[in-house]
Amino acid sequence: MNRHNFEIIESHFSFGGTLQFLRFNSKTLGVKTNFGLYLPPQAQDGHKVPVIYALAGLTSNYENFLVKANALRFAAKWGIALVAPDTSPRDTNIKEENESSDLGTGAGFYLDATAEPWAHHYKMASFVGHELPKILEENFPLDPALCGIMGHSMGGMGALGFALRQPEKWKSVSAFAPICLPSRTEWGQKVTAAYFGGNKQEWQHYDPCLLLKAGHSHPCKILVDQGLNDEFLTILQPEALEETARQVNQPLTLRRHQNYDHSYWFVQSFIEEHIAHHASILTAL
Amino acid sequence: MNRHNFEIIESHFSFGGTLQFLRFNSKTLGVKTNFGLYLPPQAQDGHKVPVIYALAGLTSNYENFLVKANALRFAAKWGIALVAPDTSPRDTNIKEENESSDLGTGAGFYLDATAEPWAHHYKMASFVGHELPKILEENFPLDPALCGIMGHSMGGMGALGFALRQPEKWKSVSAFAPICLPSRTEWGQKVTAAYFGGNKQEWQHYDPCLLLKAGHSHPCKILVDQGLNDEFLTILQPEALEETARQVNQPLTLRRHQNYDHSYWFVQSFIEEHIAHHASILTAL
């Protein structure tokens, strides 16, 4: 694939760099998919820059993080690109695709489904973990050796999962209000029944706590922020992540914040420190 | 009206302060109307703070500025509240209300209509200039003597108009890509025919260039930012504002920016400097 295969949905100059929403035909997903890409001023002459992938939560798409997290200012400051993939394939013609907000469209859970009718398209683990970075690194000035990953809620779960499975690819990781033990949630049960055809074992590849218990780890400290007025707090189970990380000696900073809820009004309040966390690792490599 | 008359649409903690979207019955507009209010940490104990009113552009509502301009970070830093009104009355039952994007809903132009069927509801000049600040100052810790006003596009025109008509109320003013000479645009002709019943003279109360020519002025320097890749550049006519300000000795800083377009990706790139501009005036009073 070359650059001409990207359809430009929108293109804007911002903070001296370029924000684009692009569309291309993903072989992995078997459909066209959209993503957002911010290239900071430091990349405008083709100079390869570090990049942070930002994964959004349930019901979001490729726009939410870039519109609502207020991250461009700090990406521009640090000279880091941002990539925001969609949260699922769309328009796959799977009959159940749009029946609920926590399964199908907007709810890919950043995993590879193993059961039909989902398995043919719902391959977000392979898409975000392999196809998307490969295609972007071939077409844009992104340094393949300097990738970080962050996410919010379902995307926080995704970011932790990718970083623990592929620590050699994702050099830095952080999350806002991640689903820490998804296999034990109602969302997880629904995912198990649909995407995994009832096979709970598949969660060992994606559940951050299960990954840690199975011996996966990340060499750098994981940064997690969690609001204490989060309407999903009991489902997210940050204490499970904290306890598991402690047991396996995974470096983790989990910060709890009074009054903050689950929204991007919370995310934007701490995004500066997340970008700085990634920058401190990526720009030191 | 007291605080209990506000219906809370949303409430979020952000940057140590509180962002609320509220709804109340406006006597001026004759309908219920929504607005956004950000109270910075410095106001949390009831301490009265300065406030900036932010007026959005065509097709926007009370959410766009607060979601997209990335302003809360700097409002919190400077201890300044933000108020984002809607851009028009809504659900007035005027038959033509939703027929186009540049008249009626989302297109109040921050003026008082004089011709029916609009005159009964379309009173955004009186609403933003009088009713809204009065009600907010009675119910929230906002200093009535420390108000600034800013806006984008149609809202930039509105901000300049309010500041020139009521310089004693609006102590500081700035605009992003304002419509500088609206009476001479196609938008303005449509407004004249509908809201003013064909009477062009009404524009003297709202058109920034006409206000300046009629002797209105503002004691503080006006800050305006304009992108040079703005798709509406020829309609916005920043050069008319610059020339008129020069003729009447109105202090104005008009900055032109290569590559930036009309979107909030432009606005957010310079919002820090706009909030600082207002803060430098409001916190010195």
Side-chain angles (χ1 to χ4, degrees):
Chain A
M1 176 178 292
N2 67 54
R3 203 152 174 169
H4 302 291
N5 293 105
F6 295 97
E7 179 187 334
I8 300 173
I9 304 167
E10 284 185 47
S11 184
H12 304 280
F13 204 71
S14 197
F15 292 104
T18 309
L19 185 277
Q20 292 194 303
F21 294 117
L22 301 166
R23 182 171 174 82
F24 74 105
N25 202 350
S26 160
K27 285 185 185 171
T28 303
L29 302 178
V31 289
K32 287 195 172 183
T33 189
N34 300 345
F35 68 96
L37 169 66
Y38 178 66
L39 290 175
Q42 296 84 345
Q44 300 304 306
D45 61 354
H47 174 73
K48 287 193 180 186
V49 293
V51 55
I52 301 170
Y53 284 61
L55 309 182
L58 281 170
T59 76
S60 293
N61 65 18
Y62 61 98
E63 293 179 310
N64 296 63
F65 175 86
L66 291 167
V67 171
K68 296 184 172 180
N70 295 12
L72 271 61
R73 174 183 311 279
F74 304 107
K77 172 186 166 185
W78 289 102
I80 295 177
L82 299 172
V83 172
D86 207 339
T87 55
S88 75
R90 287 172 198 264
D91 304 316
T92 62
N93 287 322
I94 295 172
K95 192 170 127 287
E96 303 91 329
E97 187 180 45
N98 298 316
E99 283 181 1
S100 70
S101 62
D102 52 6
L103 201 76
T105 303
F109 280 89
Y110 303 102
L111 52 78
D112 285 356
T114 54
E116 295 301 345
W118 306 100
H120 189 61
H121 295 290
Y122 277 68
K123 299 285 187 195
M124 290 300 288
S126 293
F127 176 69
V128 173
H130 301 285
E131 186 189 22
L132 185 60
K134 182 168 183 297
I135 285 178
L136 294 187
E137 288 154 15
E138 286 168 2
N139 287 280
F140 299 98
L142 305 175
D143 190 329
L146 298 178
C147 298
I149 194 159
M150 62 163 60
H152 172 232
S153 194
M154 175 182 78
M157 179 211 100
L160 295 172
F162 283 111
L164 291 170
R165 286 196 304 281
Q166 303 171 278
E168 72 294 346
K169 178 63 185 174
W170 308 105
K171 303 291 201 306
S172 57
V173 55
S174 74
F176 294 94
I179 311 173
C180 295
L181 190 57
S183 60
R184 299 278 184 83
T185 65
E186 276 190 41
W187 290 323
Q189 291 172 19
K190 206 163 166 179
V191 163
T192 305
Y195 297 156
F196 299 151
N199 182 2
K200 285 183 193 172
Q201 298 305 313
E202 291 290 335
W203 271 116
Q204 67 185 304
H205 305 302
Y206 308 109
D207 184 308
C209 287
L210 298 185
L211 284 163
L212 285 170
K213 283 184 182 167
H216 291 274
S217 65
H218 198 278
C220 291
K221 186 183 282 188
I222 298 170
L223 172 63
V224 174
D225 277 309
Q226 176 62 57
L228 292 180
N229 196 29
D230 188 316
E231 54 271 41
F232 300 108
L233 188 55
T234 57
I235 309 177
L236 300 172
Q237 299 187 66
E239 62 285 354
L241 181 67
E242 200 167 43
E243 175 59 19
T244 310
R246 194 190 56 74
Q247 288 169 4
V248 301
N249 293 315
Q250 168 64 49
L252 167 74
T253 298
L254 193 155
R255 308 189 302 182
R256 292 172 168 86
H257 303 279
Q258 289 286 347
N259 301 319
Y260 287 91
D261 62 25
H262 196 65
S263 69
Y264 275 99
W265 302 105
F266 156 62
V267 173
Q268 67 178 252
S269 301
F270 299 99
I271 192 72
E272 178 173 14
E273 292 156 76
H274 279 243
I275 304 284
H277 167 77
H278 287 267
S280 71
I281 297 167
L282 298 176
T283 63
L285 288 173
Chain B
M1 175 177 291
N2 67 53
R3 203 153 173 166
H4 302 290
N5 292 105
F6 294 97
E7 180 187 334
I8 300 173
I9 304 168
E10 284 185 47
S11 184
H12 305 279
F13 203 71
S14 197
F15 292 103
T18 308
L19 185 276
Q20 292 195 302
F21 294 117
L22 301 166
R23 182 171 175 83
F24 74 104
N25 201 351
S26 161
K27 285 186 185 171
T28 304
L29 302 179
V31 290
K32 287 195 173 183
T33 190
N34 300 346
F35 68 96
L37 169 66
Y38 178 67
L39 290 175
Q42 296 84 344
Q44 299 303 306
D45 61 355
H47 174 74
K48 288 192 181 186
V49 293
V51 55
I52 301 170
Y53 284 61
L55 309 183
L58 282 169
T59 76
S60 293
N61 66 18
Y62 61 100
E63 293 180 310
N64 296 63
F65 176 85
L66 291 167
V67 171
K68 296 184 171 179
N70 296 11
L72 271 62
R73 174 184 311 278
F74 304 107
K77 171 186 166 186
W78 289 102
I80 295 177
L82 299 172
V83 172
D86 208 339
T87 55
S88 75
R90 288 173 197 264
D91 304 318
T92 61
N93 287 322
I94 294 172
K95 192 170 127 288
E96 304 90 329
E97 186 180 45
N98 298 316
E99 282 181 2
S100 70
S101 63
D102 53 5
L103 202 76
T105 302
F109 280 89
Y110 304 102
L111 52 78
D112 285 357
T114 53
E116 294 302 344
W118 306 100
H120 189 59
H121 295 290
Y122 277 67
K123 299 285 187 195
M124 291 299 288
S126 293
F127 176 70
V128 173
H130 301 285
E131 186 188 23
L132 186 60
K134 181 167 183 297
I135 286 178
L136 294 187
E137 287 154 15
E138 286 169 2
N139 287 279
F140 299 96
L142 305 175
D143 191 329
L146 299 177
C147 297
I149 194 160
M150 63 163 58
H152 172 231
S153 194
M154 174 181 79
M157 178 210 100
L160 295 172
F162 284 112
L164 291 170
R165 285 197 306 280
Q166 303 172 280
E168 72 294 346
K169 178 64 184 173
W170 308 106
K171 302 292 201 307
S172 56
V173 54
S174 74
F176 294 94
I179 312 174
C180 296
L181 189 56
S183 59
R184 299 278 183 84
T185 64
E186 276 189 41
W187 288 325
Q189 291 172 17
K190 207 163 165 178
V191 163
T192 305
Y195 296 156
F196 299 151
N199 182 2
K200 285 183 194 172
Q201 297 306 311
E202 292 290 336
W203 271 117
Q204 66 184 301
H205 305 302
Y206 308 109
D207 183 309
C209 288
L210 297 185
L211 284 163
L212 285 170
K213 282 184 183 165
H216 291 274
S217 65
H218 198 278
C220 290
K221 186 183 280 187
I222 298 169
L223 172 63
V224 174
D225 277 309
Q226 176 62 56
L228 292 180
N229 196 29
D230 188 316
E231 54 271 41
F232 300 109
L233 188 54
T234 57
I235 309 178
L236 300 172
Q237 300 187 63
E239 63 285 355
L241 181 66
E242 200 168 43
E243 174 59 18
T244 309
R246 193 189 58 72
Q247 288 170 3
V248 301
N249 292 315
Q250 168 63 50
L252 166 74
T253 299
L254 193 155
R255 307 188 303 182
R256 292 173 168 86
H257 303 280
Q258 290 286 347
N259 300 319
Y260 287 92
D261 62 26
H262 197 65
S263 70
Y264 274 98
W265 303 106
F266 156 62
V267 172
Q268 67 179 251
S269 301
F270 299 100
I271 192 72
E272 178 174 14
E273 292 156 76
H274 280 242
I275 304 285
H277 166 76
H278 288 267
S280 72
I281 296 167
L282 298 176
T283 64
L285 289 172

